[in-house]
Amino acid sequence: MNDDPRGATAPPPPGPRNGPAVSRPEFDALFERVRAWGRWTPADRGAWNRVTADHVLRATALVRSGTVVPMARPWDTAPAPDNAKPALHYMSDLGDTETPEPSTYKDFVGADYHGKGVSHLDALSHIAYRGRLYEGGAARESTGAGGARFGSVSALGPLVTKGVLLDLPAVLGVPWLEPGQAVHGMDVVTAERALATRIDEGDAVLLRTGRFRRRRERGAWDLDAASAGLHVDALPLLAERGVALLGGDGDSDVRPSPVEGLRSPVHTLAIAAMGVPLLDNLDLEALSAACAEAGRYEFLLVAAPLNVPGGTGSPVNPVAVL
Amino acid sequence: MNDDPRGATAPPPPGPRNGPAVSRPEFDALFERVRAWGRWTPADRGAWNRVTADHVLRATALVRSGTVVPMARPWDTAPAPDNAKPALHYMSDLGDTETPEPSTYKDFVGADYHGKGVSHLDALSHIAYRGRLYEGGAARESTGAGGARFGSVSALGPLVTKGVLLDLPAVLGVPWLEPGQAVHGMDVVTAERALATRIDEGDAVLLRTGRFRRRRERGAWDLDAASAGLHVDALPLLAERGVALLGGDGDSDVRPSPVEGLRSPVHTLAIAAMGVPLLDNLDLEALSAACAEAGRYEFLLVAAPLNVPGGTGSPVNPVAVL
Amino acid sequence: MNDDPRGATAPPPPGPRNGPAVSRPEFDALFERVRAWGRWTPADRGAWNRVTADHVLRATALVRSGTVVPMARPWDTAPAPDNAKPALHYMSDLGDTETPEPSTYKDFVGADYHGKGVSHLDALSHIAYRGRLYEGGAARESTGAGGARFGSVSALGPLVTKGVLLDLPAVLGVPWLEPGQAVHGMDVVTAERALATRIDEGDAVLLRTGRFRRRRERGAWDLDAASAGLHVDALPLLAERGVALLGGDGDSDVRPSPVEGLRSPVHTLAIAAMGVPLLDNLDLEALSAACAEAGRYEFLLVAAPLNVPGGTGSPVNPVAVL
Amino acid sequence: MNDDPRGATAPPPPGPRNGPAVSRPEFDALFERVRAWGRWTPADRGAWNRVTADHVLRATALVRSGTVVPMARPWDTAPAPDNAKPALHYMSDLGDTETPEPSTYKDFVGADYHGKGVSHLDALSHIAYRGRLYEGGAARESTGAGGARFGSVSALGPLVTKGVLLDLPAVLGVPWLEPGQAVHGMDVVTAERALATRIDEGDAVLLRTGRFRRRRERGAWDLDAASAGLHVDALPLLAERGVALLGGDGDSDVRPSPVEGLRSPVHTLAIAAMGVPLLDNLDLEALSAACAEAGRYEFLLVAAPLNVPGGTGSPVNPVAVL
């Protein structure tokens, strides 16, 4: 057991469970297959347009026990192999600035939040493939110092929908998936059955790999070198089901990438082709325990990103209500 | 009509509607009257401990139409009379940093969020009166460069409860309350009746003064000089009702302060005496319209602050579901 | 007398002293006249290439009394009419973070330093005219999220040369130049004579308008609305003399701009045409007093910007040694 | 050769060259021996008070060739074993923000600069021993959210004095000192003789260990684990000589610390006892080459920190003029 995530053990070398390899033409065919452009208004809300008022009503009706479970990991100011750009947190008032009474305590928070350290949402402006954002616009033309003019996080607003936890370690009876292990479309179907749930249109799908349990027990490691996540072969299934949001305790992509010449193929398919925002680096350990206790892996999910005009995403603390 | 909030008109001079004046001994008596220390575990969750699983269930059962309304105003990087510490938003990747595909777009967000410019939550470590935080600990001893050791926003976690919008301009048939106008306990009762709602234990009470409508039509002004908000005489009522959370489109306090030698008496009573966190600077214009359309001023409210250990609060985008 | 720069008086309306007006074709002819492209290697050191080792030797030989005078105004975290983007300063360690002994005290500094609030250097990547940087490259192609690939402040390095203080208020026997008052080429020649100095090749020219004396006595004002500074008709003289660096207590440009459709014509001529970096917002009050006492307006000047690769400038504390 | 500092080799285990060990009572006796409290006005300029106008004149008279050598390493935004808190650099304007002409390019810089990654100055408020700052004041009482009230970097201002480069690798004929190797008082004397220089009152002493040559050839390593630097036995010599400033390419302290229960004993003696500010993390490779070429290890040194009221130090780009 290693309390200091910086005293990290190396991840195991990715084995055959990472593949199969996918060529670039195969990937491009996948991209075309799942591409959902020109379908919704407003376009930069992408697949969140699937979540109608009816979906919201059905999601709130899922609540049984009133248990509330947050998913944001602590704002992490300590550098680590999986926290290359530590978040900032400084006190700006320690009760010694303003007078008279009351004394006030204030702080500054800041983060270059994309990466592996901060629980955050990726908006549709975060990823471009072959120079094009979701819906086909040229990324270079729609982004500047003021941020994104298409696909901003403020165009998304909050999401209230049904959440489904794909708790793979629970399904497989292991403490965690090993870094580098791919989750395939077939595994998703198996998990649905084992967890007695079903991914429907407009749902938010959260993949638990057990990253944060492994991190606590084995120390932090470089997730870019090896992390469990989805293989691209799972995306057609998720596209058919019509998911609105995809997320997990990693960043959804299995790494190393099985796709030739492409770092983040699941990001590319989900965001740029399907218009599906991603939730990265969620701590799903408490949610896993709550679902196990409830015997249900479905719940009301609320994700309310900060309202940053031009933002490519936002730090966020998604909430499950069981 | 003034599109540029910096080209601000001065607020009208606060008239007799701001008072009555309250002496410091009278305030201290009020403080004792509403003080709720030693009542809950964990103590630094304060009045949020009132929100049990049953409250959550009843709150989710309030949802009728599935309409989702966010309350965060846009992340504001422009200085203005009511935005003295502009928020930061910088692009950190414009698709030109990483290779190979996909290209990625990233940004940095940061804010010294207390003040009048950012929609945010005040945790219980934000305010101390006579050197003492809620529950009586010495503020100086419990705060350092690493933040608050008592009353951190991460001790609060998210809140899911019934929200009540006290839409004063709707009640009074005016576009907004004038800066400096006080809302009294009697006004709260009147508003409840007019809006056919009732503030119960564990509820979140949101006061709309029409600030952002006035800002859009008249320009921004210095809210520290004059802003509509609660007079301290409303706090005993809110304490009796057992509110969990108080918020609004200002910062809850009427300004100038009617209390001798005290800048923020409502902050002081709510946070330091009652253990009630505050939500400041919410844009409630859309919620007002949605409530008017629905003919109901009650809803499911979800507020999920960032999980900042030691944080004295957090930027937040609270969500109403009607 | 007004101690609070925020309680600012409005600047006087710019009178006839601001002109004469300059048409855009006249400006473009000026641009061509002073343009110094293709002249130096490395190109992005621009006119600093004029400062040879001989100049350095002559500059150090100017020192007579050993008096050292810094020019940076205090790092200003308070918003004001001339400080729209307040600098950041937060304590990151208050002796309570590390153990064992010694205890350490640390802080974070940050600034979006261009503007009117921070004493800073403008590198050659700061300004483009008609889409072109100094030396003719397309600005859009040479700048990205990583910063400037041409004209970075790290390409400049430090400058050690002769400094000349053009102390206009001293010459004119006034406490300061009124906001909006233009300094013409003829005024520069008059000042040289009155101050018994001469601007030579490789020199750094500092224009004192008395801004910070006026700020302390009258309060801060919006320098974009009106500030004393150079009229573009002074630039041919400075170009002929071969200045290496231009700076002052404002940002060198008289405002309002006398040039049709151009906000910052002196910036444009100095940086984009002549390759002359600028020093903005220096507090020259102490230097003025020291020069008056010494009876000399020439000195050794050292300006050592931070070594920021890709930076468009840098906060800086230039030093005069008399 | 390793171009990527992150692909770091481990430092060699510190050998016998790190010692001898020093007990805490021995250290406290050293502290008393070199303590220089109550000696200068203003007190928080400490040993910089030694640098009189005469020293400045003598230092400027040292200039022979007019060669200017900066010492700041590049502003480093990449995490590395010796850059745990990467500096921030973001573009805030890419020519797309303001209109009309000219287009402007702007950026934000920020750093929590203490540590091993940023070239910076330590002011006298940076270090306290047994709760006391230099001159004996209680550190806790003199520091708050607004920064240091005693020993601020703005109390120091700039320093212009004679610099002496103790180029140990040049003296020893090695490419660098191995991490962990201590430099003793005797080594300082040997270096003076070998380099034909002498440390006098008011001088700035810079110790080159060859860190950045080693970093470029072998990769970055954790300097807290092992770094070459001064053993505390060198401090009495430096105190006797009356140095004003101490600095180097590390942080002056040999690590691991040879003093029982004390992380940074040289920091403690220099700053808290002697009132001598420190310069950390200077890139001295170019200065080493320039001194070797000139055959002289003395020069004019100018260090001009940012003018941060309450700052515990400042990023800085010190300049040598040979």
Side-chain angles (χ1 to χ4, degrees), chain C:
Chain C
M1 167 112 189
N2 182 343
D3 280 337
D4 178 5
R6 280 177 290 185
T9 55
R17 293 185 160 180
N18 177 248
V22 174
S23 74
R24 199 61 176 276
E26 287 170 320
F27 176 82
D28 285 345
L30 260 180
F31 190 97
E32 283 309 304
R33 183 170 161 198
V34 302
R35 187 161 63 81
W37 293 3
R39 187 173 301 186
W40 295 296
T41 303
D44 49 7
R45 209 164 186 256
W48 287 16
N49 286 291
R50 293 185 191 271
V51 183
T52 63
D54 273 353
H55 283 87
V56 174
L57 289 174
R58 269 179 275 141
T60 53
L62 287 171
V63 176
R64 295 277 183 283
S65 67
T67 304
V68 175
V69 185
M71 306 180 206
R73 64 180 304 253
W75 196 252
D76 195 347
T77 61
D82 59 353
N83 196 24
K85 301 175 294 183
L88 309 181
H89 182 219
Y90 300 120
M91 295 302 292
S92 58
D93 186 354
L94 285 161
D96 49 7
T97 303
E98 295 181 51
T99 51
E101 292 269 18
S103 50
T104 53
Y105 295 78
K106 300 175 190 158
D107 45 5
F108 172 92
V109 290
D112 192 352
Y113 56 87
H114 288 290
K116 316 295 180 186
V118 178
S119 301
H120 70 271
L121 180 79
D122 292 342
L124 299 186
S125 55
H126 174 51
I127 294 284
Y129 183 57
R130 301 193 183 278
R132 309 224 155 256
L133 296 172
Y134 172 71
E135 200 74 0
R140 261 204 93 177
E141 297 310 310
S142 79
T143 320
R149 285 178 292 272
F150 177 86
S152 157
V153 71
S154 60
L156 288 176
L159 187 72
V160 177
T161 194
K162 184 184 114 196
V164 172
L165 179 68
L166 295 180
D167 191 337
L168 267 288
V171 170
L172 300 174
V174 296
W176 53 71
L177 304 190
E178 286 302 331
Q181 186 172 341
V183 174
H184 299 280
M186 199 163 28
D187 301 322
V188 172
V189 173
T190 303
E192 279 182 302
R193 283 180 197 150
L195 302 171
T197 181
R198 187 186 151 80
I199 299 165
D200 290 315
E201 194 189 3
D203 286 359
V205 175
L206 304 181
L207 174 66
R208 178 173 171 256
T209 68
R211 168 192 175 188
F212 287 104
R213 179 164 172 195
R214 190 179 191 279
R215 190 184 202 266
R216 280 188 277 268
E217 296 190 15
R218 296 286 172 86
W221 72 97
D222 177 2
L223 270 77
D224 274 327
S227 42
L230 293 170
H231 191 276
V232 288
D233 68 17
L235 274 287
L237 172 71
L238 298 174
E240 282 158 31
R241 297 294 183 83
V243 300
L245 175 64
L246 184 60
D249 51 9
D251 71 355
S252 291
D253 260 294
V254 68
R255 300 181 189 277
S257 165
V259 181
E260 167 197 9
L262 199 62
R263 278 176 303 120
S264 303
V266 170
H267 275 68
T268 306
L269 294 178
I271 294 175
M274 297 161 60
V276 170
L278 295 181
L279 281 172
D280 295 350
N281 310 317
L282 304 179
D283 187 333
L284 298 174
E285 297 308 298
L287 183 58
S288 171
C291 286
E293 191 184 326
R296 292 171 76 231
Y297 288 82
E298 300 176 347
F299 40 81
L300 169 64
L301 179 134
V302 179
L306 300 177
N307 182 9
V308 184
T312 68
S314 167
V316 71
N317 190 356
V319 173
V321 189
L322 276 75

Side-chain angles (χ1 to χ4, degrees), chain B residues 140-161:
Chain B
R140 261 203 93 177
E141 297 309 310
S142 79
T143 320
R149 285 178 291 272
F150 177 86
S152 157
V153 71
S154 60
L156 288 176
L159 186 73
V160 177
T161 195

Side-chain angles (χ1 to χ4, degrees), chain A residues 98 102 105 107 113 126 263, chain B residues 98 102 105 107 113 126 263:
Chain A
E98 296 180 51
Y105 294 79
D107 45 5
Y113 55 88
H126 174 51
R263 278 177 303 122
Chain B
E98 296 182 51
Y105 294 79
D107 45 5
Y113 56 88
H126 174 51
R263 277 176 304 122

Side-chain angles (χ1 to χ4, degrees), chain B residues 76-253:
Chain B
D76 196 346
T77 61
D82 59 353
N83 196 24
K85 300 175 293 182
L88 309 181
H89 181 221
Y90 301 119
M91 295 301 292
S92 58
D93 185 354
L94 285 161
D96 49 7
T97 302
E98 296 182 51
T99 52
E101 291 269 19
S103 51
T104 52
Y105 294 79
K106 300 176 190 159
D107 45 5
F108 172 93
V109 290
D112 192 351
Y113 56 88
H114 288 291
K116 317 293 181 188
V118 178
S119 301
H120 70 271
L121 180 78
D122 292 342
L124 299 185
S125 54
H126 174 51
I127 295 284
Y129 183 57
R130 301 194 183 277
R132 309 226 155 256
L133 296 171
Y134 172 71
E135 201 73 1
R140 261 203 93 177
E141 297 309 310
S142 79
T143 320
R149 285 178 291 272
F150 177 86
S152 157
V153 71
S154 60
L156 288 176
L159 186 73
V160 177
T161 195
K162 184 184 114 196
V164 173
L165 180 67
L166 295 180
D167 192 337
L168 267 287
V171 170
L172 300 174
V174 295
W176 54 70
L177 304 190
E178 287 302 330
Q181 185 171 343
V183 174
H184 299 280
M186 197 163 32
D187 301 322
V188 172
V189 174
T190 303
E192 279 183 302
R193 283 181 197 149
L195 303 171
T197 181
R198 189 186 150 81
I199 298 165
D200 290 315
E201 192 188 6
D203 286 358
V205 176
L206 304 180
L207 173 67
R208 178 175 172 256
T209 68
R211 168 192 175 187
F212 288 104
R213 179 165 172 195
R214 190 179 191 279
R215 191 184 201 266
R216 280 187 277 268
E217 297 190 14
R218 297 286 172 86
W221 72 97
D222 177 2
L223 270 77
D224 275 326
S227 42
L230 293 170
H231 191 275
V232 287
D233 67 17
L235 274 288
L237 173 71
L238 298 174
E240 283 157 31
R241 297 293 184 84
V243 299
L245 175 64
L246 184 60
D249 51 9
D251 71 355
S252 292
D253 260 295

Side-chain angles (χ1 to χ4, degrees), chain A residues 182-235:
Chain A
V183 174
H184 299 280
M186 200 163 27
D187 301 322
V188 172
V189 174
T190 304
E192 279 183 302
R193 284 181 197 149
L195 302 171
T197 183
R198 188 186 150 81
I199 298 166
D200 290 315
E201 193 188 6
D203 286 358
V205 175
L206 305 179
L207 173 66
R208 178 174 171 255
T209 68
R211 169 193 175 187
F212 288 103
R213 179 165 172 196
R214 189 179 191 280
R215 190 184 202 264
R216 281 188 276 266
E217 297 191 14
R218 296 288 171 84
W221 71 98
D222 177 2
L223 270 77
D224 275 326
S227 42
L230 293 170
H231 191 275
V232 288
D233 69 17
L235 275 288

